[in-house]
Amino acid sequence: MTSHLLALLLSLIAVIPPQRYGCTDIIGGRVVRPHSWPYMAAIQRKNLTECGGALVEKQWVLTAAHCQSNKSEVRVVLGAHQASIAEKEQQIFKVMHYFPNPQFDRSSKENDIMLLKLNGIAKLNKFVQLLPLPDSCEDIEPGTMCKVAGWGVTSSGKPSKYLRKTTLKIVGRKSCQSKYVNYTKITSNMLCAIGKNKFLKTDACQGDSGGPLICAGRYSGIVSFGKGCGRRDMPGVYTRLTEKYIDWIKKIISLHRDP
Ligand code: 4AZ
């Protein structure tokens, strides 16, 4: 009897593929339970996800300013798990208007935040929901645990078919700045975050930009930039949802809301 059990166990082990080290990502993350991030938006061109975003109002997606593309054919997919194919839960929109933060600076990467007005109103349901803006704009303490998700590049070097997420830890700006000397200034409008485990590399990467960083359950930042992806000791940088940005978001939405 026990030998039967042992044989069963061994055959099970034989058919379960091993989790390859560092190969299960965003970089170092895992596929989310389908539709467990119902506020995630995929910003796509030709079925390729170029950026992420979060649905903050029924007609508005918050993303990064560097995600603005002057090319046409941009679509915003809500309710997706596999964003590049049609899924019954999806709601697909075009961008009616781009509102990059007017102070966005491409070289310093300061103010990397943008609102997209969709060409229709999303229907909220189990698969499509709003991500509320934070009601407090207090800074996020170093050591705070955060999560981020996206369809961006994985450690295979290719974008992910399915939405993936990972867990990160906030790093103080001083230590973050020391990694970005000769690159850019890490300002109080930015947050830095790195994998919580020194040995398991995990990070956002190309294509994850614009997606939400959620710290202690609160929408806290937007994927912005980084020197490479998943490099040891190299945090990723996020636009921090400061009071100034929240006020700007509220102003744009109230000025441009459909009657
Ligand atoms: C990008 O190119 C990008 N590792 C986003 C995040 C990071 C690096 C690059 C952070 O959109």
Side-chain angles (χ1 to χ4, degrees):
M1 186 62 192
T2 45
S3 66
H4 275 99
L5 268 175
L6 194 66
L8 183 67
L9 203 64
L10 284 173
S11 58
L12 267 176
I13 289 168
V15 295
I16 298 169
Q19 291 251 341
R20 271 196 290 156
Y21 173 76
C23 212
T24 47
D25 326 6
I26 207 171
I27 301 278
R30 57 200 298 189
V31 172
V32 307
R33 182 167 55 80
H35 311 291
S36 57
W37 287 60
Y39 38 78
M40 265 313 285
I43 300 168
Q44 298 191 321
R45 233 160 32 86
K46 296 188 174 154
N47 275 18
L48 290 176
T49 302
E50 294 195 330
C51 274
L55 189 70
V56 293
E57 288 244 359
K58 287 187 222 172
Q59 201 171 3
W60 295 86
V61 166
L62 188 61
T63 182
H66 83 263
C67 292
Q68 181 164 24
S69 142
N70 48 10
K71 298 154 197 140
S72 54
E73 307 163 62
V74 171
R75 62 176 209 162
V76 177
V77 186
L78 305 177
H81 183 51
Q82 189 174 351
S84 56
I85 63 159
E87 297 170 314
K88 63 180 190 309
E89 300 86 356
Q90 291 176 357
Q91 296 180 42
I92 300 175
F93 296 95
K94 290 207 164 97
V95 179
M96 194 148 97
H97 204 84
Y98 293 88
F99 295 92
N101 187 287
Q103 271 117 42
F104 171 54
D105 185 315
R106 207 165 267 285
S107 74
S108 72
K109 310 197 191 293
E110 180 77 322
N111 308 305
D112 191 7
I113 183 167
M114 173 167 70
L115 276 163
L116 305 179
K117 185 177 182 187
L118 306 180
N119 72 337
I121 293 176
K123 279 195 199 73
L124 302 187
N125 57 30
K126 222 168 91 182
F127 312 107
V128 175
Q129 307 237 314
L130 305 182
L131 181 60
L133 293 168
D135 44 22
S136 141
C137 302
E138 268 170 50
D139 202 7
I140 312 290
E141 293 291 319
T144 307
M145 300 308 291
C146 306
K147 57 182 186 169
V148 68
W151 288 273
V153 164
T154 71
S155 56
S156 75
K158 287 187 295 196
S160 177
K161 261 192 192 170
Y162 305 102
L163 182 61
R164 286 172 187 268
K165 65 166 177 185
T166 194
T167 306
L168 301 167
K169 190 178 74 180
I170 295 293
V171 172
R173 287 189 189 85
K174 264 202 189 134
S175 110
C176 185
Q177 180 67 79
S178 73
K179 313 286 183 197
Y180 282 94
V181 274
N182 303 331
Y183 191 90
T184 198
K185 184 167 162 30
I186 303 300
T187 72
S188 60
N189 300 315
M190 299 173 185
L191 287 171
C192 298
I194 196 165
K196 61 182 172 173
N197 180 327
K198 246 189 168 14
F199 304 102
L200 245 182
K201 294 185 289 179
T202 160
D203 197 3
C205 198
Q206 202 186 344
D208 294 321
S209 279
L213 178 75
I214 298 176
C215 302
R218 165 154 73 99
Y219 190 7
S220 305
I222 298 170
V223 180
S224 180
F225 68 95
K227 237 191 242 180
C229 303
R231 291 206 209 159
R232 205 149 74 88
D233 281 343
M234 187 56 76
V237 188
Y238 298 77
T239 308
R240 180 183 148 224
L241 291 180
T242 58
E243 191 162 11
K244 149 178 118 156
Y245 295 138
I246 305 290
D247 291 347
W248 171 77
I249 293 165
K250 289 185 174 158
K251 190 184 88 185
I252 295 289
I253 292 181
S254 70
L255 277 175
H256 299 272
R257 202 190 287 280
D258 283 342

